[in-house]
């Protein structure tokens, strides 16, 4: 259903933009008619299944990590490499300012087309990417900068080279080191967050999800393949996995949901940027006066007790 709604909303978006660009010759009656159609479709898109949310979380037009950086931060100085092996382009980050305050920002990068998908390994980091992320986070701790991460990955790269180069060690070290960071850490799941590939930059004091994002131990296709040996049952798996923002807020896994426009973030990215900006600003204000020791303790306790809240 959401695929058809998405196509219709996109067509309406385009026609309304064309009408608005006509200026004084705008056909207001037609514009009003289109707005009524849009509102009706928006109502249909307000009650989506888990699998439909997976579709929106993976949508190729959904804002990417560089879109968020450009919209939310200023003076971005991109940092590259893990100081050991190579530059992993699937992790993107550096130093920036947020409302005048220095921060460290980083996130998964998928790309917008096939060429970029391949260049960024479809947003699946290798160990070098996680070592780069940790380098940036430890640098942020040294200089007292808050850390803001953006999660959007199908998981860490599972190839033989990645395993040979220490994938498991890189992820587990990130989990341990992030638990003890003495600066505020905020994580936002903007698309799909799967497995340790997501959690390796997601051990935060506050974790938020976009309304149509998903966060889980693995993809629905992977879940269905393991449980039933049938990836075609992904829609059924998505419902069982309870991977939506609404489910995870209920279980206490995340701290809040960031609203999206009807039909997904790609229909009004500016709205999403404003909502994220407000959430980050409010959360940093809340965490600013907390000592480094207490920040680490809060983060440790938060993740140690998630299982109790779920059960």
């Amino acid at each position: 259903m959401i695929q058809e709604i998405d196509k219709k909303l996109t067509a309406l978006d385009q026609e309304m933009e064309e009408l608005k660009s006509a200026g004084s010759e705008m056909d207001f009656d037609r514009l009003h008619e289109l707005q009524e159609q849009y509102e009706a479709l928006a109502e249909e898109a307000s009650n989506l299944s888990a699998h439909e949310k997976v579709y929106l979380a993976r949508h190729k037009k959904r804002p990417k990590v560089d879109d968020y950086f450009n919209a939310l931060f200023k003076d971005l100085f991109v940092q590259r490499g893990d100081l050991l092996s190579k530059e992993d382009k699937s992790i993107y980050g550096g130093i920036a300012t947020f409302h005048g305050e220095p921060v460290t920002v980083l996130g998964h990068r998928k790309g917008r087309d096939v060429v970029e998908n391949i260049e960024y390994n479809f947003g699946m980091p290798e160990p070098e990417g996680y070592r780069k992320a940790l380098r940036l986070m430890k640098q942020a701790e040294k200089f007292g900068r808050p850390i803001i991460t953006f999660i959007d990955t199908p998981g860490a790269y599972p190839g033989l080279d990645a395993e040979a180069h220490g994938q498991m060690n890189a992820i587990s070290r990130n989990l341990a080191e992030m638990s003890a960071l003495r600066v505020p850490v905020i994580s936002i799941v903007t698309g799909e967050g799967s497995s340790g590939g997501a959690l390796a930059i997601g051990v935060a004091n506050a974790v938020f999800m976009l309304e149509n994002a998903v966060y889980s131990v693995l993809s629905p296709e992977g879940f269905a393949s393991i449980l039933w040996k049938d990836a075609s049952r992904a829609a059924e798996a998505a419902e069982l996995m309870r991977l939506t923002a609404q489910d995870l807020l209920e279980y206490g896994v995340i701290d809040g949901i960031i609203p999206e426009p009807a039909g997904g973030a790609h229909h009004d990215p500016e709205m999403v940027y404003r909502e994220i900006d407000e959430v980050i600003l409010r959360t940093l204000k809340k965490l600013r006066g907390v000592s480094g020791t207490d920040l680490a303790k809060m983060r440790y306790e938060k993740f140690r007790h998630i299982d109790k809240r779920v059960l």
Side-chain angles (χ1 to χ4, degrees), residues 40-197:
L41 286 169
E43 182 66 25
E44 289 185 50
S46 64
N47 188 26
L48 303 178
S49 69
H51 195 240
E52 287 173 323
K53 287 180 179 290
V54 172
Y55 169 81
L56 289 181
R58 295 171 174 172
H59 200 288
K60 64 181 180 181
K61 291 185 179 179
R62 197 170 180 84
K64 304 297 188 291
V65 65
D66 52 332
D67 296 316
Y68 293 113
F69 285 9
N70 291 334
L72 297 167
F73 308 106
K74 294 182 179 179
D75 310 313
L76 177 64
F77 174 69
V78 178
Q79 296 181 285
R80 299 180 175 85
D82 66 345
L83 300 183
L84 180 64
S85 180
K86 68 174 184 179
E87 159 67 354
D88 183 345
K89 293 184 179 181
S90 63
I91 291 285
Y92 183 62
I95 305 167
T97 58
F98 179 72
H99 290 266
E101 179 182 4
V103 294
T104 287
V105 294
L106 60 99
H108 300 99
R109 181 163 56 172
K110 285 183 173 179
R112 290 178 169 76
D113 53 37
V114 174
V115 174
E116 286 190 351
N117 291 156
I118 294 171
E119 183 180 2
Y120 305 146
N121 205 31
F122 295 86
M124 297 186 292
E126 297 185 66
E128 292 82 2
Y130 291 118
R131 285 195 285 264
K132 176 173 68 174
L134 182 58
R135 176 172 76 85
L136 267 62
M137 290 188 283
K138 294 298 287 184
Q139 181 193 74
E141 181 181 45
K142 179 179 179 179
F143 291 99
R145 292 191 298 267
I147 299 165
I148 304 165
T149 73
F150 293 78
I151 295 170
D152 186 15
T153 179
Y157 182 61
L160 290 175
D161 285 347
E163 294 299 333
H165 294 172
Q167 184 73 289
M168 181 176 67
N169 177 271
I171 291 174
S172 60
R173 185 180 176 195
N174 276 29
L175 301 181
E177 295 279 2
M178 286 191 76
S179 298
L181 288 171
R182 297 171 61 83
V183 292
V185 184
I186 300 170
S187 291
I188 301 170
V189 184
T190 60
E192 58 180 332
S194 294
S195 192

Side-chain angles (χ1 to χ4, degrees), residues 20 45 89 111 154 198 250 254 259 261 305:
K20 291 174 182 178
K89 293 184 179 181
E250 178 184 346
I254 64 171
H305 291 96

